[in-house]
């Protein structure tokens, strides 16, 4: 395993050209670390993910688990504190990691596009919306200026912005937060991306507009085969709108698989705690993440052991000395990184031992911090 370093990559690695047999997105052992005064933050720490064309992968996990950094790592937008990521990010079989900013710019829009979590920082405050909506189209789509503007109006209308012709001449500060979020979605869709990374795309929106936007995204997937990583705190949205789900904790994927299997045969105690308040697919679409007791760790120079152990109802001595790997669980039809999974004999025994010893998840944390 090669670790992130501060050296700048000189030139893109020679990779295979676009390959129609390859998955739309293949991420292998991706590590994105940040150099901070507190130490090296392992924001994304060995992630493997695959996404097929036309499919949606929901990425869930508590605040700070690394979801946005993972999305930005795929885009190649990380900021100056980031060490050069290691691992592989391929779209249609083409390696993105190591590409120059200029090369990446050629892909942003038609190949990969992102709805950023904070629409204020992603919109340019000094440029009108018509410019921001059409500049990518001018480079990537064979449209006249009039057609680009017509497409911009149509996109604004489809994301639920009233009077789109008038709004096109506005600046971002003239819009409400919810409108800015919708403009961010319209910009991300402007060049018909093959892969959309949607980072909390509907959090500031009311339920009706949220549904309209999620329906629009689903329609674009059906029509054009767009793949989507949907980052969300809303488990109802994740359950109803994704084919697969990946649960992130402290920079790593700790459980993933087809959404219905992860909900039906939850194996990781962390996922189980998250889903505790929402065990069924048919629950209402605005239920949000429940959190297990305690706080997720800030992953600075993490030790080699299970990162969830302190908060885990199933944790045993092994969890403090060894790091579980993400392995297939054939009985659940998913992959899970846990030595004592929920719903298995080992997991049930571990939970029973902790309960008999009178350990709660919070008590375990105290016990282990003393030990
Ligand atoms: N530019 C940066 N420099 C240093 N640390 C960073 C930087 N960006 C993110 N981090 C750290 O990386 C970790 C993951 O952050 P990230 O924003 O991906 O979390 P998240 O899962 O998207 O959370 P949320 O649900 O709140 O959006 C956090 O500990 C965060 O503080
Ligand atoms: Mg985020």
């Amino acid at each position: 395993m090669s670790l992130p370093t501060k050296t700048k990559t000189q030139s893109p690695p020679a990779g295979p050209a676009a390959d129609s047999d390859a998955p739309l997105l293949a991420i292998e052992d991706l590590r994105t670390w940040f150099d901070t005064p507190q130490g090296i933050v392992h924001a994304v720490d060995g992630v493997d993910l695959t996404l097929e064309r036309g499919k949606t992968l929901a990425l869930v996990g508590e605040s700070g688990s690394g979801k946005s950094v993972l999305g930005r790592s795929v885009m190649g937008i990380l900021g100056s504190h980031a060490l050069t990521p290691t691992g592989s990010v391929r779209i249609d079989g083409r390696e993105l990691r190591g590409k120059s900013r200029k090369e990446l710019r050629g892909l942003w829009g038609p190949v990969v596009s992102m709805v950023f979590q904070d629409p204020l920082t992603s919109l340019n405050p000094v440029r009108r919306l018509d410019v921001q909506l059409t500049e990518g189209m001018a480079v990537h789509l064979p449209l006249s200026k009039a057609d680009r503007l017509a497409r911009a109006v149509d996109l604004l209308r489809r994301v639920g912005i009233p009077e789109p012709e008038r709004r096109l001449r506005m600046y971002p500060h003239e819009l409400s937060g919810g409108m800015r979020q919708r403009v961010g979605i319209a910009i991300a869709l402007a060049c018909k991306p093959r892969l959309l990374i949607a980072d909390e795309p509907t959090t500031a929106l009311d339920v009706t507009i949220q549904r309209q936007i999620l329906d629009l995204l689903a329609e674009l997937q059906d029509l054009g085969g767009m793949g989507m990583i949907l980052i969300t705190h809303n488990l109802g949205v994740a359950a109803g709108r994704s084919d697969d789900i990946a649960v992130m904790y402290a920079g790593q994927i700790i459980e993933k698989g087809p959404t219905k299997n992860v909900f039906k045969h939850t194996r990781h105690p962390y996922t189980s705690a998250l889903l505790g308040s929402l065990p069924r697919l048919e629950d209402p679409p605005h239920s949000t993440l429940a959190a297990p007791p305690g706080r997720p760790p800030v992953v600075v120079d993490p030790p080699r052991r299970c990162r969830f152990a302190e908060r885990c109802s199933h944790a045993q001595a092994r969890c403090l000395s060894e790091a579980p790997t993400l392995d297939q669980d054939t009985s659940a039809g998913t992959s899970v990184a846990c030595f004592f999974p929920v719903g298995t004999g080992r997991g049930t025994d571990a939970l029973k031992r902790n309960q008999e010893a009178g350990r709660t998840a919070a008590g375990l944390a105290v016990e282990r911090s003393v030990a």
Side-chain angles (χ1 to χ4, degrees), residues 24 52-55 92 109-111 151 158 189 191-196 215-228:
L24 174 62
E52 300 294 340
R53 288 168 193 81
K55 301 288 183 195
D92 293 328
V111 176
R151 178 165 170 76
R158 293 179 80 182
L189 295 175
C191 295
K192 308 180 182 178
R194 297 174 54 61
L195 169 65
L196 179 71
D215 286 347
L216 168 64
L217 297 176
E219 185 190 319
L220 295 174
Q221 293 191 276
D222 286 346
L223 286 176
M226 179 180 82
M228 176 160 66

Side-chain angles (χ1 to χ4, degrees), residues 154-169:
D154 183 50
L155 280 164
L156 289 186
R157 187 175 293 115
R158 293 179 80 182
V159 296
I161 292 194
E163 302 180 81
E165 288 90 350
R166 190 168 72 80
R167 310 267 180 198
L168 264 189
R169 294 190 296 277

Side-chain angles (χ1 to χ4, degrees), residues 177-332:
M179 291 246 188
R180 283 196 289 260
Q181 191 167 31
R182 280 176 267 171
V183 170
I185 294 167
I187 292 174
L189 295 175
C191 295
K192 308 180 182 178
R194 297 174 54 61
L195 169 65
L196 179 71
I197 301 164
D199 194 352
E200 302 281 1
T202 59
T203 31
L205 308 178
D206 70 48
V207 174
T208 316
I209 296 286
Q210 176 174 308
R211 187 174 310 122
Q212 181 181 343
I213 285 180
L214 292 170
D215 286 347
L216 168 64
L217 297 176
E219 185 190 319
L220 295 174
Q221 293 191 276
D222 286 346
L223 286 176
M226 179 180 82
M228 176 160 66
I229 295 183
L230 179 60
I231 300 174
T232 179
H233 276 101
N234 187 323
L235 286 171
V237 167
R241 300 284 181 162
S242 67
D243 301 284
D244 292 298
I245 193 164
V247 182
M248 223 172 158
Y249 189 81
Q252 300 179 322
I253 305 292
I254 50 97
E255 186 156 23
K256 70 176 179 184
T259 303
K260 62 178 186 327
N261 294 0
V262 172
F263 272 78
K264 197 169 171 196
H265 305 289
T266 306
R267 290 286 187 252
H268 202 288
Y270 176 64
T271 315
S272 176
L274 288 184
L275 300 186
S277 67
L278 185 70
R280 285 173 298 276
L281 289 169
E282 58 272 23
D283 277 348
H286 35 265
S287 314
T288 49
L289 290 182
R295 300 274 314 144
V298 175
V299 209
V300 177
D301 302 324
R304 274 199 59 76
R305 63 184 183 76
C306 176
R307 294 176 187 188
F308 183 59
E310 267 87 358
R311 304 171 72 193
C312 183
S313 51
H314 291 214
Q316 304 291 305
R318 183 179 180 193
C319 311
L320 296 176
S321 59
E322 239 181 283
T325 51
L326 190 66
D327 295 325
Q328 275 194 350
D329 182 319
T330 45
S331 66

